Amino acid sequence: MTDGKIRPADLRAMKARGEKIPSLTAYDYAMTRLLDECGVPLLLVGDSVGMVVLGYPDTTHVTMAEMEHHVRAAARAKPRALLAADLPYHAYETAADALANARRLSAAGAEAVKAEGGREILGQVSAIVSAGIPFIGHLGMLPQHVLEEGGYHIKGRKEDERNALLADAKALSDAGACAIVLELVTPPVAKEISASIPIPTIGIGSGVDCDGQILVTHDLLGLFPWFTPKFVKQQLNSAEQMRVMVTTWKAGLQGQTTPR
Ligand code: KIV
């Protein structure tokens, strides 16, 4: 295609050319448009929206209605980037649920959907892919399972974890996934997975050898100053800049008086 629109095949071609795939989260019209103008090829309406925008303690509280609302807002920016969206917790328990909810996100404007898990969700992945909806996998630390797992733990340190990750990545790729997010996977295992499958891996806290990197935009830009994951190299301190600007503006107003 020559319209400049990024499609799943373009991400795969980037991997084949050895070109890194930058990816960021976007939850609304303005951020989607701005990041798209920066040429980021893959934008994700992640369920991290629940934490950095909606104020939930983790992503398990995010609903389909909330995801649809944010996907609609992001899609109004009509990005050139591929616009993906997360299926939230409990939205893909069965293949039928997964397909119905993937269709809802597509109707809201998502061009791909992402869900967490490997071989245990293959039925759901097949239902989504067979319906022609591009699917992105998510392996390693699975934020929707943070409560069962008792925290955000690095994956791939033990041999059985490494083997399971490799098998899950192959199974997702064979099932037709167009990319896989690897979250908090040990860098050597992330590298091994990336070399073993034809589809791109998009790492987050998983080392430099993934085919792409994704970050929560709020972490990159310092928009959520109360918590920043250890692996993030913040590029801007937006919260601090905002505090200075607003305090200066407020002081300027307070220095003025309204004639009575
Ligand atoms: O919800 C999200 O933002 C994500 C990315 C961090 C990978 O899943």
Side-chain angles (χ1 to χ4, degrees), residues 25 27 44 46-48 86 114 138 181 183 204 214-216:
T25 60
Y27 316 113
L44 173 70
D47 59 359
S48 51
D86 268 329
K114 175 166 84 60
H138 188 146
V181 167
E183 181 155 4
I204 172 159
I214 185 163
L215 285 176
V216 169

Side-chain angles (χ1 to χ4, degrees), residues 26-34 36 43-45 49 53-54 64-79 83-85 104-110:
Y27 316 113
D28 62 24
Y29 171 84
M31 190 61 88
T32 304
R33 191 165 166 183
L34 282 167
D36 198 50
L43 294 175
L44 173 70
V45 186
V49 69
V53 173
L54 302 178
M64 268 301 295
E66 287 165 342
M67 287 305 301
E68 284 173 295
H69 175 79
H70 285 278
V71 170
R72 277 192 214 103
R76 282 184 203 112
K78 297 189 175 41
L83 185 67
R104 279 174 64 178
L105 293 181
S106 295

Side-chain angles (χ1 to χ4, degrees), residues 202-250:
I202 313 291
I204 172 159
S206 299
V208 296
D209 292 309
C210 296
D211 303 305
Q213 295 290 334
I214 185 163
L215 285 176
V216 169
T217 301
H218 285 58
D219 294 337
L220 184 71
L221 302 185
L223 279 165
F224 194 81
W226 308 280
F227 174 75
T228 308
K230 281 198 204 101
F231 54 81
V232 175
K233 280 202 197 104
Q234 197 180 297
Q235 302 292 326
L236 193 66
N237 193 341
S238 305
E240 193 44 36
Q241 289 189 352
M242 182 185 139
R243 283 181 183 130
V244 171
M245 296 301 183
V246 172
T247 310
T248 307
W249 171 78
K250 192 165 68 80

Side-chain angles (χ1 to χ4, degrees), residues 127-234:
I128 292 169
V129 171
S130 306
I133 300 172
F135 178 82
I136 299 178
H138 188 146
L139 296 174
M141 194 283 291
L142 306 180
Q144 292 175 3
H145 295 270
V146 64
L147 300 178
E148 292 124 78
E149 299 218 347
Y152 299 98
H153 303 299
I154 295 175
K155 293 293 163 78
R157 284 189 172 136
K158 300 181 198 136
E159 193 58 17
D160 61 333
E161 278 177 2
R162 168 192 168 268
N163 294 341
L165 284 165
L166 280 159
D168 283 336
K170 180 173 180 339
L172 288 175
S173 175
D174 289 350
C178 64
I180 302 178
V181 167
L182 297 179
E183 181 155 4
L184 289 188
V185 172
T186 59
V189 173
K191 181 177 181 178
E192 206 179 341
I193 294 171
S194 305
S196 71
I197 52 173
I199 58 171
T201 58
I202 313 291
I204 172 159
S206 299
V208 296
D209 292 309
C210 296
D211 303 305
Q213 295 290 334
I214 185 163
L215 285 176
V216 169
T217 301
H218 285 58
D219 294 337
L220 184 71
L221 302 185
L223 279 165
F224 194 81
W226 308 280
F227 174 75
T228 308
K230 281 198 204 101
F231 54 81
V232 175
K233 280 202 197 104
Q234 197 180 297

